[in-house]
Amino acid sequence: MANEKWVEAVGITDVPVDDVVRWDHEGLSYAIYRLGGDEFFASSNICTHEHAYLSEGFLEHGVIECPRHSGRFDVRTGDPLGAPVCDAVKIFPVKVENGSIFVQVEG
């Protein structure tokens, strides 16, 4: 990413285990995922098929299912996993420091 910066998003306790939360920053919406207790990932919160918030979807085994048409994405890679989605969702690097989740955003 050109001109990337790390931004403190949420505390690790704000994201339940095996769940997803919404985080908005500078007009963009992100989905932050927690897998297996201590693995965190972040993606664009908008489904690439049709405007729907992935953070309102169902997360299981590292796959987020869009609440609108049940399109699925791998939260680790952003890859689409079946119809109706064809395009990957954008993934953002994350790191954990001092109990907080930081997301690398364009800035």
Side-chain angles (χ1 to χ4, degrees):
M1 268 187 246
N3 300 322
E4 65 272 349
K5 63 180 178 179
W6 289 100
V7 177
E8 186 174 2
V10 296
I12 59 173
T13 58
D14 296 326
V15 187
V17 174
D18 296 321
D19 208 349
V20 56
V21 298
R22 177 179 175 165
W23 174 64
D24 296 321
H25 176 70
E26 294 184 353
L28 297 176
S29 189
Y30 301 83
I32 299 176
Y33 312 92
R34 184 176 188 173
L35 305 181
D38 61 0
E39 280 189 288
F40 296 92
F41 301 91
S43 74
S44 168
N45 195 26
I46 308 300
C47 180
T48 59
H49 170 248
E50 193 170 311
H51 187 21
Y53 293 110
L54 295 176
S55 60
E56 296 174 2
F58 178 70
L59 178 67
E60 185 174 47
H61 304 298
V63 175
I64 187 71
E65 183 177 278
C66 177
R68 181 157 293 163
H69 293 121
S70 302
R72 296 176 301 119
F73 299 92
D74 184 317
V75 303
R76 294 173 180 91
T77 64
D79 291 340
L81 299 176
V85 295
C86 299
D87 297 321
V89 67
K90 187 170 185 174
I91 297 295
F92 297 89
V94 298
K95 66 180 180 180
V96 176
E97 290 182 355
N98 300 320
S100 293
I101 301 166
F102 290 78
V103 178
Q104 190 177 52
V105 300
E106 295 178 4

